[in-house]
Amino acid sequence: MAIETAETAGTAERSVTHVSHHEHRDVSGGWLRPAVFGAMDGLVSNLALITGVAGGAVSPRMIVITGFAGLAAGAFSMAAGEYTSVASQRELVEAELALERLELSRNPDDELRELASLYVSRGVEPALAQEVARQMSVDPEQALEIHAREELGVDPTDLPSPLVAALSSFVSFGLGALLPVLPYLLGATALWPALILAFVGLFACGAAVSKVTARSWWFSGLRQLVLGGAAAGVTFVLGALFGTALG
């Protein structure tokens, strides 16, 4: 018996050790994903805009004006789009939650059976599923939260804020779009300092994305560098062609 108990304890200890070391990454990306992608969007779009204008052989002053115009237009567009998108999504979820709350008050027995059937469909025995659903439905707010999670796939206590989404998009896009303009503000008269700083930013953003993907940091960084560089190269050629044609 002592040996059996020791073996059982050892098994339990190994199980606990395994669980404590079994960690998953944040698959939603948390705040990092929208911030990095917002900055990346601003960096790529404004870099492409600036290289396109520079390809037309305009003055550094005109490049700075164009860069800031692209920064402002893109940041406001991103913020407005993000606000509208998140607000519309939130309003839809709130409407569905109101409907679910009404159904819970009007037809509690039907909602209880519905919740129990969900547990049964996931392999829980019918009697146990019924008892679990009953206990979970004692508190109306808890019942609403459970139905929202099971039926809508949302957490009613953690709905996204349209204002926060808009502000974060505005700031991250603006910071990314500022990078290719910064060398000109510091006195640069050629395109290459802006390209170097922008390419460093592209690689850094790509490497940061690897925190929420399964790719290595250098692969993600190089991939974003190639994509952003290709966009800048294409717009530079187009700017040069249009500059020659219109000149």
Side-chain angles (χ1 to χ4, degrees), residues 52-150:
V53 174
V58 300
S59 65
R61 180 174 178 273
M62 185 60 66
I63 292 177
V64 171
I65 294 174
T66 303
F68 272 109
L71 185 156
F76 278 112
S77 176
M78 283 284 292
E82 195 71 15
Y83 183 91
T84 302
S85 174
V86 174
S88 300
Q89 180 185 12
R90 181 174 180 129
E91 289 165 2
L92 174 61
V93 171
E94 288 175 342
E96 292 298 316
L97 288 175
L99 178 62
E100 190 65 35
R101 184 179 282 107
L102 183 62
E103 286 298 316
L104 284 169
S105 62
R106 286 182 174 178
N107 306 299
D109 293 338
D110 291 340
E111 293 296 312
L112 182 63
R113 283 192 292 269
E114 183 180 6
L115 185 60
S117 66
L118 282 173
Y119 292 142
V120 170
S121 68
R122 295 181 180 180
V124 181
E125 295 181 356
L128 180 58
Q130 183 70 24
E131 179 60 21
V132 170
R134 185 192 66 78
Q135 293 186 26
M136 291 292 189
S137 301
V138 172
D139 182 3
E141 288 304 314
Q142 178 176 269
L144 176 64
E145 182 177 343
I146 293 171
H147 279 272
R149 289 177 183 273
E150 296 291 344

Side-chain angles (χ1 to χ4, degrees), residues 30-241:
W31 61 269
L32 179 63
R33 187 177 187 277
V36 171
F37 277 99
M40 193 183 297
D41 192 9
L43 177 53
V44 172
S45 62
N46 222 28
L47 174 63
L49 178 62
I50 287 175
T51 53
V53 174
V58 300
S59 65
R61 180 174 178 273
M62 185 60 66
I63 292 177
V64 171
I65 294 174
T66 303
F68 272 109
L71 185 156
F76 278 112
S77 176
M78 283 284 292
E82 195 71 15
Y83 183 91
T84 302
S85 174
V86 174
S88 300
Q89 180 185 12
R90 181 174 180 129
E91 289 165 2
L92 174 61
V93 171
E94 288 175 342
E96 292 298 316
L97 288 175
L99 178 62
E100 190 65 35
R101 184 179 282 107
L102 183 62
E103 286 298 316
L104 284 169
S105 62
R106 286 182 174 178
N107 306 299
D109 293 338
D110 291 340
E111 293 296 312
L112 182 63
R113 283 192 292 269
E114 183 180 6
L115 185 60
S117 66
L118 282 173
Y119 292 142
V120 170
S121 68
R122 295 181 180 180
V124 181
E125 295 181 356
L128 180 58
Q130 183 70 24
E131 179 60 21
V132 170
R134 185 192 66 78
Q135 293 186 26
M136 291 292 189
S137 301
V138 172
D139 182 3
E141 288 304 314
Q142 178 176 269
L144 176 64
E145 182 177 343
I146 293 171
H147 279 272
R149 289 177 183 273
E150 296 291 344
E151 298 177 28
L152 303 177
V154 298
D155 182 357
T157 64
D158 188 28
L159 298 181
S161 167
L163 184 59
V164 171
L167 287 176
S168 61
S169 296
F170 184 92
V171 171
S172 61
F173 185 97
L175 290 175
L178 181 63
L179 277 184
V181 186
L182 195 57
Y184 287 99
L185 294 176
L186 298 177
T189 57
L191 180 60
W192 65 266
L195 289 176
I196 291 176
L197 185 58
F199 288 164
V200 170
L202 285 170
F203 185 87
C205 286
V209 170
S210 68
K211 295 294 184 180
V212 292
T213 66
R215 293 290 188 178
S216 61
W217 63 270
W218 59 266
F219 177 87
S220 296
L222 286 176
R223 178 174 59 184
Q224 192 55 42
L225 179 59
V226 169
L227 293 175
V234 170
T235 54
F236 182 85
V237 172
L238 291 176
L241 293 175

